[in-house]
Each structure stands twice: as structure tokens, then as C-alpha cells.
Amino acid sequence: MNAAQLPPVAPEVTATLVEDLSPRLRKRLDAAVTKLGARPTHRDGDTVTIAVDDETELRLHAPGGTVATVDAITCGCLLAPACVHRAAAACAAPTADPAPDEERDPDAETAADPADQLTAEPPGPAAESASGPVPGPAAESTPDSPPGAASPSERAAADALWSAGAAVLEAGVDGAGAVTQSVLLRAAHTARLRNLPRPAGAALSVVTLLRAARSGDPSYRTADLVTALAELLGTAHRVGAAAGAELAAVRGRARRPYSPEGSLRLYGLFTEPVVTDSGHGGVRTWVAAPDGRLCTVGDVAPGGAGRALGVADRAVRLGDSALTHRELGRAGLAVSGATVSPDGRLGAGKGVKAVTARGAAWTEPPLAALWETPPSEQAARALRSTSRYADTGGGGSDLLFLEVELLGAVREPDGVCLLALCGGGVPVRLAVADDDPALAHRDNLMLLATAPGTRLRIIGRLVPAPHPRLTLLACSHPAGEGTVDLGLDRLRRADLPDPAAPVHLAPAQPGDWGADSPLHLLERRIDQTVPAGRAALGMLGDVTAEAARLRRAGLPTAAGLLTTLCASAARRDRDHFGRLLPADTDGFATNWLTAARYSAAVAESLCAAAWEPRR
């Protein structure tokens, strides 16, 4: 059994089942989750059955695809309902998205897309500077609520999120088992009820990533958990200090409103598969208006990568169009009565009418204009969209449209990516958008690595890094005819200029792999906290030499943050009798968050500079 075979379970259900366990059974919960994961499962309609042993079965009833109540998980063992099996099943299953992420038109017929569930809107301008001190939990703010400030219940919910996130940092992945995760789930559920969907979504992301890390999921990346934890702690502490528009941005939105746009003429760009950690799958098709504005049409629901491949050939649910998603990515639409969300999603209410129209090649107007903006300007726009310190831009603003010459494969610590040269002689790394073997991303990228010298138009999503980096989503066909959706279409060797060529390793480029900046010395310590916790970081030894190197490179703030972070990790005070006092988890979390936010801000600056043309 794996988590994808189980229906998603609502956060409050998992939290309640774990809270109801006796202290003795809580100690056995992680072992029970592992043991249950090795047992066979069977699905019959809305019910999934797990064979606990040869005589005992456990059932999860999920009407509508989600286990929404505690009573929907039943066990046939003698200790039920007070057994450990029910809680273990809930902890092994994916966490359900509490609500659709977008607010559809009243008569909308398309399924909600949970791919960005509860990520809501990024914050407005940060209340604190990246290099300045980050306050502790929101409870430290005044208990009175001035106009436009958070209510006491919101601050209490934020406190609970902060404490749960700090506990994860204290324990690390290795110590953040099912009980720690259930505390996060309870805090997330409470925060959502208190109108804090954005920090609640961050907490759910942390739980999902913790489970992926502890299960050995090959798609897990420590950097993802670092980002999620920084988002959780950052939004939790800002609830008490923010007011007005900033507080609204910190709260986020559980649903995305749609506004009327009248008539739109749209041109298809490409279609990308969407596979989420919660077991959802589908596609998102990108289209462009004549003025260059990007919009999307999506279809995502429970089903994983298999559903993503199937939905690509289903008709788009928009008006009277009979186009499939693959076809729309290369054709056009004329839409009347259109409605669009702030992030560019097209609504599909009954009042929306859409008919098939002629598309445009990437080299023809109006699409050709997307490739005419200099790469550095495109990267700056994408950074404004992806930064945690800036308001969100328009839909699709994290996409880059580049003309490149392929150089070949380049090896990295996490695998192999494709190196290419874009405008101004800037070397850019093209990484795989999704490593799921059912999708075509990896195979296509490795095939393109056998064709150095090939010139292509590409579409990729910016990855903030000290070097130019994109996840590759689509490209013009190497043979010169049409386009390739790199997650869905599979290139063949016959499509390449030299079908027999082996994978070509590209030569190292000047400034390769962020070698010009020692910021990684701070980033490494930030990352090392997550797998093993505060205590492990405190035992990693003296960092005086690393701090001196940062100062020599003109990064004195980074040096100070590194020294403070490691010192707080190692610090354990004693009482008058020499007994160790409890660790200052809040203080360490504050230092870690300050370092993580500073590191992210500097990395964004380095990323913007890396995209400038080479002289």
C-alpha cells in the first residue's frame, strides 16, 4: 500500500483520532503507520479496505472522495474504536484539501483545481526587512485589537501555528512523527476556521512534505520543506503585527474571486500536466490574449499522474468548444461573457460562451511578442511574482519565453539538467518540471541533451537560484514544425538532427553553480536544521571560519546570522541546581526564520543579477 491508494483524510479527522489515543498508543503510532503501509488494500466504490491482518479489516469510507468524519474510519479489531489502527490509517493517507482553491462562477461546471490549494496570495511588502530581526510568535503583540488588526482568536490561532512549526524545527524530520504532525493539522484546521487560509495551507504543506521525507519519497527535496516552514512561521508571526492590506495578504484567500472580462480572443501556447502531493492529477492549458496577458484553463481532480495523461485528451470544459486540452494548446478560442480570476484562471459558468478559432504559431503575432522581451526583464518580472516579499503579478508571470541554443547535459548534486545559452550569452539550466516516470519530462530532457547546437524556442518556469534556472515546460519542435508539450508529448530520436548522437556533457560555464557567492555556507546550515533538528545543528562545530569567509565576500549580515543561528542551536541553560532547562524553541525558531528569509532575499538578488547579459 502507498498513500496514493488511500482517500484523502480531512486534517481535523486525523488530528482528532491521534488526540483520542492513549499515551501508550501514541508511542506506537509511527510504527503502526509503517506496518499498515505494508498491508494490501482494496477499493470498492467510495470505500477502501485495508487488511490489518488475516482476520481484521479497516475501512475508510470517502463519499465524494474525502474522509470527512471520524466515524468514516472503522476497524474490526477487538480494541476498536480506541485502537491505534484508525489513527494510523489517517496518518498514512494524504491530507485532504479543506476547500476548493478557487471561487468559481455561481454556475461554474469545471472541477476545482487544488494544485495551488491554500497557497493563496503571497504577502505584500514585508513588515520586516530581510536582514532585520524577525519577531517571535504573534502572541507577543498587544492583546488589544486596533482597527484593521487581527482579532484575539486570529492571534491565538497564529500562536498555535507558530508553536507547531517551532516544534518541527526542534525535532527535525526524524523526530516529527505522526503525533507532531497531528498537532500541525489541528493548528491548520483551527487557523482556517479563524480566517487564516494562507498560514493554514502552509501548515498542510509542511505535513505533506514531512510525510514524504519520512517515507523516502524520491520526489522529496529538503529545500521544499525549508520554504514551507519559512512560509508557515513567517505568516504566523506576522498575523499579530500586520494590519490593513498587509494583514489581508497574510491571511490569504481560500477562494479566488472571478471578475467579468467580456469578450476575449485567446491563442493556445501549451499544456502542462499537474500532479500534486495530495494525489490529485490533471492538466493546465496556457493561452494568451493579443495584449500578451496569459490565462489558464485547468482540469484537476483526484487521480495522480494517470489522470493527468488521460485528461489531456478530454474536451475543455469551457463554453461550446470541442477542443481537447492538447488541441487548445495549439489552437485558439473566441470567448464571450468571460470571467477571469486574479491569477488568470478562466471561469466556466453557464454564461460563458466559447468557440474554436484559429491559433497562432509561436513565431507569429501575437505570440511572437512573448519572446521579444529581454530575458533579464522576464526574470525580474517572474521574481516579483514568486518572491515571498512581493504582491502577486498577473497570471503566468512566473513563465519565461526564451530563444536558446542547447549545449548539452550538466551534472548536479540532484541529478542531470540541460544547459543552454539564451540572449546576451547567459547560460541557463533547464531542469525537469516533474520527475514522475509516467510523465515525459525526464525522457525528453535527456533526449534533447543529445542535440547540442540545436536552436529552440522554449517556455519554462523560473526557479529562483544564484544562477539562471528554469523548469522546462514546452519547446518548439527540433525538426522545426509545431511545438512539444514536454510533460505529455514524447520526442523520438528521429525528431533530432542527429538521431544516433549520445548524451553530450556541456563544458562548465563561467560563474557556474553559484561559485561566486559563499551564501551557500548560510543556506547549508538552514537546510541542515530540517532533517535532524536543533540539537544536531548545535553539534556541527565551530563556524568562525565560515563566518569570516562571508564577511570577506561582503556579506556581514549573513555572517552574523550564521553565528547567531548556530549559537542558539547549541545553547542549553541550567538552573541553580545545574539541571538543564528546556530548550528555547521559540528563540531558535526566530533565529532560523530570520536566516531563512535573509537567505531567500539575497538569493533573489543574486538570481536577478545572474540573468543580466554577459559582457
Side-chain angles (χ1 to χ4, degrees):
M1 180 196 79
N2 58 54
Q5 295 174 305
L6 299 179
V9 178
E12 63 272 22
V13 171
T14 303
T16 299
L17 288 171
V18 174
E19 291 164 357
D20 289 345
L21 291 177
S22 66
R24 179 179 65 86
L25 290 180
R26 287 191 186 186
K27 295 179 181 179
R28 297 172 49 190
L29 181 56
D30 288 326
V33 172
T34 302
K35 182 178 180 180
L36 206 62
R39 302 300 301 169
T41 63
H42 172 71
R43 180 181 291 272
D44 182 12
D46 292 334
T47 301
V48 174
T49 301
I50 305 174
V52 177
D53 53 40
D54 294 340
E55 299 179 354
T56 306
E57 291 185 338
L58 185 149
R59 292 183 173 85
L60 294 88
H61 185 54
T66 299
V67 177
T69 64
V70 172
D71 295 338
I73 303 180
T74 59
C75 182
C77 75
L78 296 177
L79 295 178
C83 63
V84 73
H85 303 129
R86 297 169 68 222
C91 292
T95 300
D97 295 329
D101 76 315
E102 55 182 86
E103 182 175 310
R104 292 175 286 167
D105 304 289
D107 301 319
E109 299 174 355
T110 56
D113 178 356
D116 302 313
Q117 174 65 28
L118 287 179
T119 54
E121 296 180 350
E128 69 289 333
S129 69
S131 59
V134 178
E140 295 178 2
S141 61
T142 175
D144 298 327
S145 296
S151 67
S153 63
E154 287 177 325
R155 294 200 299 272
D159 287 348
L161 286 171
W162 172 276
S163 297
V168 171
L169 273 181
E170 176 70 20
V173 169
D174 295 340
V179 174
T180 301
Q181 294 167 25
S182 73
V183 175
L184 263 176
L185 292 175
R186 173 62 68 194
H189 177 62
T190 302
R192 184 163 184 87
L193 294 179
R194 299 294 184 268
N195 191 33
L196 298 174
R198 182 176 172 216
L204 296 184
S205 296
V206 169
V207 171
T208 298
L209 289 165
L210 283 173
R211 291 177 176 177
R214 292 173 62 86
S215 66
D217 188 334
S219 66
Y220 167 76
R221 298 289 182 271
T222 298
D224 295 335
L225 184 50
V226 169
T227 299
L229 274 170
E231 169 74 359
L232 168 60
L233 294 171
T235 53
H237 94 260
R238 288 178 61 199
V239 167
E246 184 187 352
L247 178 59
V250 172
R251 285 172 174 148
R253 291 178 179 173
R255 293 172 176 264
R256 290 179 171 86
Y258 281 75
S259 58
E261 291 287 338
S263 298
L264 291 176
R265 178 68 167 89
L266 302 172
Y267 298 84
L269 277 167
F270 72 101
T271 299
E272 64 170 319
V274 176
V275 181
T276 71
D277 293 330
S278 60
H280 290 75
V283 295
R284 181 184 297 118
T285 299
W286 292 83
V287 295
D291 61 1
R293 182 171 50 146
L294 302 183
C295 299
T296 60
V297 182
D299 185 345
V300 180
R307 186 179 188 277
L309 295 174
V311 168
D313 293 313
R314 294 183 189 175
V316 174
R317 300 175 183 175
L318 191 65
D320 300 322
S321 172
L323 292 173
T324 66
H325 281 274
R326 285 181 191 264
E327 292 169 342
L328 175 58
R330 297 171 174 86
L333 279 179
V335 185
S336 62
T339 57
V340 184
S341 71
D343 62 354
R345 302 188 185 202
L346 290 168
K350 292 182 179 179
V352 178
K353 307 297 181 184
V355 295
T356 303
R358 178 185 175 277
W362 287 2
T363 54
E364 299 175 350
L367 299 186
L370 295 172
W371 279 264
E372 294 174 0
T373 303
S376 58
E377 294 183 19
Q378 295 190 51
R381 179 205 63 211
L383 280 170
R384 289 194 296 271
S385 172
T386 58
S387 172
R388 290 194 291 265
Y389 307 110
D391 290 322
T392 184
S397 58
D398 60 345
L399 298 184
L400 270 67
F401 303 82
L402 305 177
E403 294 190 57
V404 301
E405 177 184 348
L406 302 184
L407 299 180
V410 61
R411 300 191 186 281
E412 297 181 337
D414 293 332
V416 175
C417 69
L418 183 61
L419 190 66
L421 277 180
C422 66
V426 176
V428 55
R429 292 171 185 256
L430 308 176
V432 173
D434 194 313
D435 256 324
D436 193 306
L439 304 178
H441 289 294
R442 172 64 63 183
D443 293 341
N444 284 334
L445 184 139
M446 295 306 298
L447 202 56
L448 290 173
T450 67
T454 302
R455 295 183 177 274
L456 299 173
R457 287 197 170 196
I458 66 169
I459 302 176
R461 181 168 285 116
L462 179 75
V463 178
H467 54 275
R469 188 177 186 88
L470 303 175
T471 53
L472 190 56
L473 301 173
C475 70
S476 56
H477 198 285
E481 295 293 334
T483 61
V484 182
D485 296 334
L486 290 168
L488 300 171
D489 305 328
R490 290 191 179 271
L491 288 168
R492 299 172 297 174
R493 286 199 170 272
D495 297 323
L496 304 179
D498 184 0
V503 172
H504 175 78
L505 293 179
Q509 299 294 310
D512 207 21
W513 196 237
D516 296 332
S517 171
L519 183 65
H520 67 276
L521 297 174
L522 175 60
E523 294 174 330
R524 181 176 62 180
R525 299 303 184 184
I526 294 168
D527 293 351
Q528 286 172 338
T529 306
V530 172
R534 177 198 56 80
L537 181 64
M539 295 187 294
L540 290 177
D542 183 62
V543 294
T544 302
E546 296 176 8
R549 184 178 170 189
L550 287 166
R551 289 191 180 93
R552 288 196 301 269
L555 296 172
T557 302
L561 291 173
L562 175 62
T563 302
T564 301
L565 176 64
C566 292
S568 65
R571 184 182 302 120
R572 288 296 302 274
D573 296 328
R574 296 178 181 270
D575 63 15
H576 294 296
F577 299 99
R579 295 171 298 192
L580 282 174
L581 296 172
D584 182 9
T585 56
D586 283 347
F588 176 71
T590 297
N591 291 325
W592 183 90
L593 176 60
T594 305
R597 283 186 174 269
Y598 169 86
S599 175
V602 174
E604 289 170 9
S605 298
L606 292 174
C607 178
W611 281 93
E612 292 296 330
R614 298 294 174 90
R615 290 179 173 83

